[in-house]
Amino acid sequence: SGAGGGEVEVPRRVTAVLGQDVVLPCRYRAEEEEEQVVQVTWLKRGPSGDMAEVTVLHRQHGQHVQEPYSGRVLRRAEGALEDGDIVLRN
């Protein structure tokens, strides 16, 4: 049997207002017999296309935020990582 996979649901566009918090939504719709999500990694794509890690949400190790974003990135909700939403503050 082949390995199937669920679907990651993210909006194509999120509008933010300078100086206000913004929610970056990310949901994973698992297939029926899939294991739990273990890790969610958020990356930021720079103007030249390079990728930089913003935060990692891990089921056992919690959240790790990279230094430039420390104090500005929060997990929106506790619980299963199928809800991988984060909040960017200010």
Side-chain angles (χ1 to χ4, degrees):
S1 64
E7 184 176 331
V8 176
E9 296 177 351
V10 294
R12 252 184 113 55
R13 186 175 300 230
V14 174
T15 301
V17 176
L18 186 62
Q20 294 184 7
D21 295 354
V22 63
V23 174
L24 299 180
C26 177
R27 300 243 190 275
Y28 183 72
R29 302 264 184 231
E31 288 192 351
E32 197 171 303
E33 296 180 13
E34 277 187 282
E35 301 280 328
Q36 286 185 319
V37 174
V38 174
Q39 179 174 304
V40 175
T41 302
W42 278 90
L43 304 170
K44 178 181 178 183
R45 182 176 308 162
S48 64
D50 57 325
M51 303 292 264
E53 187 176 284
V54 174
T55 188
V56 175
L57 312 175
H58 193 278
R59 185 171 50 164
Q60 291 179 323
H61 303 293
Q63 180 177 5
H64 174 75
V65 179
Q66 292 297 324
E67 186 56 41
Y69 305 98
S70 183
R72 293 189 52 225
V73 177
L74 307 168
R75 184 155 179 224
R76 184 172 168 209
E78 296 298 319
L81 289 178
E82 283 74 12
D83 176 355
D85 297 359
I86 59 171
V87 176
L88 288 179
R89 299 191 63 191
N90 192 11

